Each structure stands twice: as C-alpha cells, then as structure tokens.
Amino acid sequence: MLSTGALRAHLLAARLAGPVATLREESLRNYRLFAARDPRILLGLDPEWSWGPGDLLGLMADKCGVSADPRHTSGADVIDPERTLAALDAFAERLADAARRRLPVLLGTGHPHRLLGFYAALADALSSAGCTVLTPAQGNSVDITTRFGLRTYNLDYVQGVALVREPGARPAGSETGAHTHSPLPVRAALGAAADVGGRLPELVIGDHGWVCGAGQLGFEAIGLADTDDPALFVGEAEGQVSVVVPLDDAVRSDYYRPLTRYVLNRACLSQ
C-alpha cells in the first residue's frame, strides 16, 4: 500500500499540490466572475448564499490552502498537500460506502486527456465490487456554448466514464474527448435515464460540471477540483457536493496513478 508520506511526496514532486501551475491571477479572476454569477464559472451550481470575491478567497484558503492575502495577486497558486490527503481519505470513504451498498454510479469528466485513467480505474473497481456503472444517453448530442459559439458534442463512454467529443472527431470509444466545464452533459445523461425509467445514480463521480450539475439536482456527488474552480468548493460548503479533492487537475495523466492506488487501497477496492 502506498503510504501517506509517499503520496505526500508525490503530490509535491508532481506539482499536484504545493506550488501548482494554476496562476493566482486566473483564480482571483474566477472568484470575481463567480461572485458576479457568471454561468461559465458556476458550472451548473445555483448558490444559495451570497458569495463575494473576499468570501470566496477565504473559502478557498480554508479548503485548498491558497493564500488568504488579497494583496497576493500574481504567481503560482499553492495547494496544501495535507488538505489534499484529507480529502482523498474522505473521497475513498464515499467509494467504500458505495461498494458496500452496491450503489449505481455515474462517472464523467471534463478533463478526459488528463483524468480519464483515474476515473476508469474507479469505474472498474466499483463494477467488480457489484456496483452498476451507468452509461445513459450514450451517443446523444449536447449543445454547449463555448468561446467559439454554440457547438454540438456527442456524449460517449470510455471504460465506463462519460465524456463529450465533437461529432466525427473520433470514433465512439476512443480515449480522447473535449475539455468542458459545462453541466449540460450530466443533465443530458440524468434526464435521458429518467425519461426511459432507467436506474439513476446514487453517487456521481467526476469534475467540473459533472459534479456541480449533479449536486445541484440533488444527487450525491464527489470529485476533484483546482484552485480556479471555486464552484465545487462552494457546493461542498453549502451541502450540494459531498467531497471535493483540491489538486491541479491538468498535469500529466500518469501522475494521477499513485492517487488511484491510494484511493482504491483506502476504500478496500484494490484488485
């Protein structure tokens, strides 16, 4: 089993925590946009409380370990590895509970180039434990507003993990997809399952809009988030999201493998 000390060292060496590649300027900008209720930053969340930029900075300092000093306006953001480790333990507890109860689960990512392998390993382990890994609305189209205008994407599943891709960009089942923050894919998946009377997930696992969109609809959701994505941490603070793990969500995909091993070991799901 990967020890906590070894994982802490890996988090820092891979820059998953400690000084990360996410810029302080980007994070502060997103806090301002979230406070202004910009839907691009809300990620499908409809906050119940009033969140100003200062409130968000305080929340992110508490949840992630970023500097709480508003005068610190540039350079690399910092994530406290102890907070990452604590959240990974809580994340593993939710996985273990889902496995014990054999809950139906839905996994989806807006970072398929980076995080597909992480989620695919979870999907495989949960399936082996008796959970049904749901794949509703496969092949359905989803219209998402991007900085280039309205684009149509197809919902696909790779190794049990949902992602979106541009039509014709890759064959179904290929391991690449589009980067998206949108909650529309998870809404489409959940809506399609409900329309046909199919099973609905009792746990949604993912990032970006997959977590916030599901949590806002009342589904238990857990996931990963960077310091420039305050919506997930607001969702956790308000109770719409169960667990958020603070880390850099855009490093090399193989850097997440030790996290996979650690989480599956903690959840007693190693194979």
Side-chain angles (χ1 to χ4, degrees):
M1 177 174 176
L2 186 67
S3 70
T4 301
L7 182 58
R8 183 188 298 107
H10 172 73
L11 291 171
L12 294 171
R15 296 189 66 187
L16 286 156
V20 294
T22 308
L23 295 177
R24 177 74 166 183
E25 297 95 312
E26 295 175 0
S27 296
L28 294 177
R29 179 199 64 201
N30 284 0
Y31 304 163
R32 292 191 296 270
L33 291 172
F34 186 97
R37 300 290 179 117
D38 188 314
R40 297 171 298 174
I41 310 302
L42 293 176
L43 309 184
L45 195 72
D46 183 14
E48 297 179 5
W49 307 342
S50 177
W51 292 90
D55 302 317
L56 291 163
L57 182 58
L59 175 72
M60 299 302 283
D62 178 58
K63 294 289 188 179
C64 303
V66 305
S67 171
D69 186 352
R71 296 168 297 181
H72 178 196
T73 59
S74 63
D77 243 337
V78 175
I79 296 174
D80 177 7
E82 297 302 326
R83 288 172 169 83
T84 304
L85 289 166
L88 284 170
D89 288 345
F91 187 97
E93 288 178 10
R94 297 290 179 169
L95 294 180
D97 179 67
R100 280 193 301 269
R101 297 163 59 196
R102 297 187 175 183
L103 301 180
V105 296
L106 175 66
L107 299 95
T109 181
H111 264 302
H113 297 83
R114 309 296 185 183
L115 292 169
L116 178 60
F118 175 80
Y119 296 122
L122 303 186
D124 183 55
L126 289 168
S127 177
S128 296
C131 297
T132 300
V133 177
L134 304 175
T135 58
Q138 183 160 14
N140 286 16
S141 62
V142 183
D143 293 328
I144 299 174
T145 300
T146 73
R147 58 180 174 172
F148 306 109
L150 191 66
R151 294 287 179 88
T152 298
Y153 295 88
N154 289 338
L155 184 62
D156 195 14
Y157 290 84
V158 178
Q159 299 177 65
V161 183
L163 50 80
V164 295
R165 66 176 93 254
E166 293 187 42
R170 297 276 180 169
S174 64
E175 295 191 1
T176 57
H179 174 231
T180 180
H181 287 218
S182 176
L184 296 179
V186 74
R187 291 176 186 168
L190 295 170
D195 287 345
V196 300
R199 295 189 76 182
L200 292 172
E202 294 188 48
L203 180 65
V204 177
I205 305 166
D207 47 62
H208 293 170
W210 284 94
V211 173
C212 289
Q216 183 63 42
L217 292 173
F219 294 88
E220 182 174 11
I222 63 176
L224 315 178
D226 210 331
T227 60
D228 59 353
D229 287 327
L232 285 88
F233 297 99
V234 169
E236 185 179 36
E238 292 193 352
Q240 292 99 321
V241 176
S242 293
V243 178
V244 186
V245 180
L247 48 70
D248 190 322
D249 60 8
V251 302
R252 282 174 34 179
S253 58
D254 58 313
Y255 287 172
Y256 298 99
R257 289 176 189 160
L259 279 68
T260 306
R261 295 200 302 273
Y262 180 85
V263 164
L264 293 180
N265 279 327
R266 296 285 294 187
C268 299
L269 291 171
S270 296
Q271 299 175 32

